[in-house]
Amino acid sequence: MHNPSLIEQINHWKQQFKQPLNRILRTPFAVHIFKERNEPLSYYFNEIDKTVHALMATPEQDVMQAQYLSERLLNQCNALQNALKTKSVPLSAEERRQKAWDRLQNLPPKPRLAAFQKAQQQLLKEKANLERKQSQAESLEQRQYIQQQLAELQRRLEKADVAITSTEREIYWNQIKA
């Protein structure tokens, strides 16, 4: 899976951070994303580089391993980018949801899977409730508004489904490695 443009893209992505490489990050990253905590920024960049090189060394026929490493790389980049963001404005509802989602991502795999499944069940209940309200809505405007809410809820359900599948895959790979 040799892809020199991937290295170039990662290097370009790293250059966007105008912070010293020796800055210690106090973010409590999940163990499956980064093995150590409270390390300098250079440590996290090196861990990302290791994942990139492992991905590049993966044989093309080993699709499952390539997918696992791709997801890990994405999680590492997202976690580091979120850790380096500074926010001075209050969080919107979407940002609060994303922050809660990120906290779920920081759990170990089995509790994370249980939390994702619980969240999915809550979303399904919310969907059923909205569908009931939509069927009882009297005006076209109310039905359209509820339809927009249902579309957003469906996006969140799809995200939960992807997270459950990904976490199940991670648990499976961890069992194989053990």
Side-chain angles (χ1 to χ4, degrees), residues 71-82:
E71 290 174 1
R72 180 168 189 202
L73 178 61
L74 180 62
N75 287 336
Q76 286 177 323
C77 291
N78 285 337
L80 188 58
Q81 188 160 354
N82 288 337

Side-chain angles (χ1 to χ4, degrees), residues 87-93 95-96:
K87 294 184 180 177
S88 58
V89 295
L91 298 177
S92 69
E95 289 171 322
R96 284 192 306 273

Side-chain angles (χ1 to χ4, degrees), residues 5-176:
S5 66
L6 177 61
I7 293 174
E8 293 169 8
Q9 289 174 347
I10 293 294
N11 286 337
H12 177 72
W13 175 80
K14 290 190 295 189
Q15 290 173 1
Q16 75 177 328
F17 302 108
K18 309 277 189 243
Q19 300 184 24
L21 292 176
N22 62 352
R23 175 185 169 202
I24 304 294
L25 297 182
R26 306 269 182 233
T27 306
F29 294 111
V31 178
H32 73 279
I33 295 176
F34 293 108
K35 292 179 178 125
E36 302 293 331
R37 296 179 179 189
N38 300 321
E39 294 291 331
L41 180 57
S42 61
Y43 166 83
Y44 298 105
F45 281 161
N46 288 337
E47 287 297 304
I48 288 171
D49 289 341
K50 287 178 189 177
T51 303
V52 168
H53 291 293
L55 178 60
M56 291 174 47
T58 302
E60 286 187 19
Q61 59 272 23
D62 196 352
V63 176
M64 294 289 285
Q65 181 68 7
Q67 185 172 2
Y68 171 77
L69 289 169
S70 297
E71 290 174 1
R72 180 168 189 202
L73 178 61
L74 180 62
N75 287 336
Q76 286 177 323
C77 291
N78 285 337
L80 188 58
Q81 188 160 354
N82 288 337
L84 294 173
K85 280 184 188 175
T86 56
K87 294 184 180 177
S88 58
V89 295
L91 298 177
S92 69
E94 179 61 29
E95 289 171 322
R96 284 192 306 273
R97 267 196 297 274
Q98 184 62 44
K99 198 167 188 167
W101 188 263
D102 293 341
R103 281 193 302 272
L104 286 177
Q105 289 284 4
N106 287 333
L107 292 173
K110 289 184 181 179
R112 182 173 1 118
L113 178 60
F116 283 147
Q117 290 169 334
K118 182 179 178 182
Q120 184 183 46
Q121 290 303 311
Q122 290 172 338
L123 290 171
L124 289 169
K125 286 179 185 176
E126 188 177 338
K127 180 180 179 185
N129 187 37
L130 281 174
E131 288 171 340
R132 182 185 50 75
K133 284 182 179 180
Q134 187 179 35
S135 69
Q136 296 172 351
E138 294 179 9
S139 72
L140 177 62
E141 290 174 341
Q142 288 175 329
R143 286 190 294 276
Q144 288 175 337
Y145 177 72
I146 293 171
Q147 186 59 42
Q148 289 174 346
Q149 290 178 311
L150 283 167
E152 171 62 20
L153 194 58
Q154 184 61 39
R155 184 192 66 77
R156 291 170 58 200
L157 274 165
E158 290 168 2
K159 186 175 178 181
D161 190 48
V162 168
I164 288 169
T165 302
S166 175
T167 304
E168 288 172 338
R169 189 175 300 120
E170 181 182 349
I171 291 169
Y172 171 78
W173 277 108
N174 289 343
Q175 289 173 345
I176 288 177

